[in-house]
């Protein structure tokens, strides 16, 4: 239940009275009488602290305020419209937070998999380089063969391999999660439309700046 310190706009009067939004006028009236008896200051226990008594009195006033609005058909209609907007906005924020959390988790998984594969690639490249620099052991008294120059993975090859690994990771994720494919296609479509609009805007701007012969 909302705290008494909240403004009336931030409270849900239906929750204060303990009824659904579809409750009839008679249901609202009965709920108000029940809640008024439960929260009336005369019903407070003497052992309560001053702070608890103050909170209880504020709750009683909240019940009065809730019935003043929900007990009036016109005020209730206006309140319902405001409440719907509030709930829709809260739902949108919650959905946005959920999507942000999913994107963060998806990015974290991609990074972990990419780091793991890059580390494995570096170990493999290092092992290959070490094998190239080993001096073959010959029979006793034989002269060691010339050691071949060590070869290292170039920066360009490393970037290419990292890009290939990322592409493989994305391919695997898309195969296991159709939702990611739909999001990617939607993002590409949005990008294409935006570039198309920008191109049309540029053409109109150039046409407007072209001097008339």
């Amino acid at each position: 239940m909302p705290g008494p310190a909240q403004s009336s706009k931030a409270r849900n009067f239906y929750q204060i009275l303990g009824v659904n939004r579809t409750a009839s006028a008679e249901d609202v009236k009965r709920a108000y009488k029940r809640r008024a008896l439960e929260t009336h200051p005369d019903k407070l226990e003497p052992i309560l602290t001053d702070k608890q008594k103050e909170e209880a009195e504020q709750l009683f006033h909240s019940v009065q305020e809730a019935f003043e609005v929900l007990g009036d058909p016109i005020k209730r209609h206006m309140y319902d419209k405001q409440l719907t907007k509030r709930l829709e906005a809260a739902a949108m924020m919650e959905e946005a937070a959920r999507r942000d959390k999913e994107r963060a988790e998806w990015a974290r998984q991609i990074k972990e998999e990419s780091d793991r594969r890059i580390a494995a690639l570096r170990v493999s490249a290092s092992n290959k380089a070490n094998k190239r620099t080993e001096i073959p052991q010959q029979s006793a008294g034989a002269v060691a063969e010339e050691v071949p120059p060590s070869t290292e993975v170039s920066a360009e090859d490393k970037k290419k391999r990292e890009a290939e690994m990322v592409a493989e990771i994305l391919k695997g994720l898309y195969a296991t999660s159709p939702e990611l494919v739909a999001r990617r296609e939607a993002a590409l479509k949005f990008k294409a439309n935006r570039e198309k609009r920008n191109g049309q805007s540029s053409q109109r701007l150039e046409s407007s700046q072209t001097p008339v012969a």
Side-chain angles (χ1 to χ4, degrees):
M1 181 178 296
Q6 292 177 298
S7 66
S8 60
K9 290 184 178 180
R11 301 181 193 138
N12 187 329
F13 289 153
Y14 290 99
Q15 293 178 352
I16 292 176
L17 294 184
V19 296
N20 296 324
R21 292 185 62 179
T22 56
S24 64
E26 189 63 28
D27 291 336
V28 171
K29 187 176 182 180
R30 283 197 298 266
Y32 162 69
K33 291 181 178 179
R34 183 183 67 256
R35 294 291 289 146
L37 288 175
E38 293 174 352
T39 60
H40 197 282
D42 293 342
K43 300 289 185 180
L44 299 179
E45 298 180 2
I47 61 175
L48 295 180
T49 63
D50 292 339
K51 182 179 180 180
Q52 290 174 327
K53 290 180 180 179
E54 182 181 353
E55 291 178 350
E57 289 177 357
Q58 290 181 0
L59 178 57
F60 176 73
H61 291 307
S62 297
V63 172
Q64 299 287 330
E65 186 178 7
F67 180 68
E68 181 181 350
V69 173
L70 300 185
D72 185 306
I74 297 178
K75 292 181 179 180
R76 181 178 179 178
H77 176 71
M78 296 177 61
Y79 174 77
D80 284 344
K81 293 174 62 177
Q82 296 174 356
L83 182 61
T84 298
K85 292 181 180 179
R86 275 172 34 209
L87 295 177
E88 289 177 350
M92 291 177 62
M93 293 179 63
E94 183 178 350
E95 177 65 14
R98 184 187 67 81
R99 290 180 179 273
D100 289 342
K101 185 177 180 180
E102 287 182 353
R103 283 193 288 267
E105 177 63 18
W106 179 68
R108 184 189 66 79
Q109 292 178 1
I110 288 182
K111 185 177 185 304
E112 287 183 354
E113 182 66 15
S114 177
D115 291 344
R116 185 184 65 79
R117 294 200 177 193
I118 290 173
L121 178 62
R122 288 174 177 170
V123 172
S124 177
S126 177
N127 292 337
K128 290 180 180 179
N130 291 336
K131 288 181 179 180
R132 294 192 185 99
T133 57
E134 290 179 353
I135 300 176
Q137 298 296 326
Q138 298 183 356
S139 60
V143 180
E145 296 180 356
E146 182 180 358
V147 179
S150 64
T151 58
E152 297 182 356
V153 180
S154 66
E156 184 178 354
D157 289 340
K158 186 183 295 184
K159 290 182 179 179
K160 182 178 180 181
R161 292 178 181 177
E162 291 178 356
E164 291 176 351
M165 285 189 295
V166 172
E168 291 179 4
I169 296 172
L170 291 175
K171 183 178 180 181
L173 290 173
Y174 290 147
T176 57
S177 180
E179 182 182 358
L180 294 178
V181 178
R183 290 185 183 179
R184 179 174 180 271
E185 293 178 351
L188 293 175
K189 184 177 180 180
F190 176 80
K191 180 180 179 182
N193 292 335
R194 182 177 61 184
E195 292 177 351
K196 182 178 180 180
R197 289 195 299 269
N198 292 340
Q200 292 176 349
S201 299
S202 299
Q203 291 178 358
R204 287 196 296 269
L205 181 60
E206 292 176 359
S207 299
S208 62
Q209 293 178 351
T210 302
V212 180

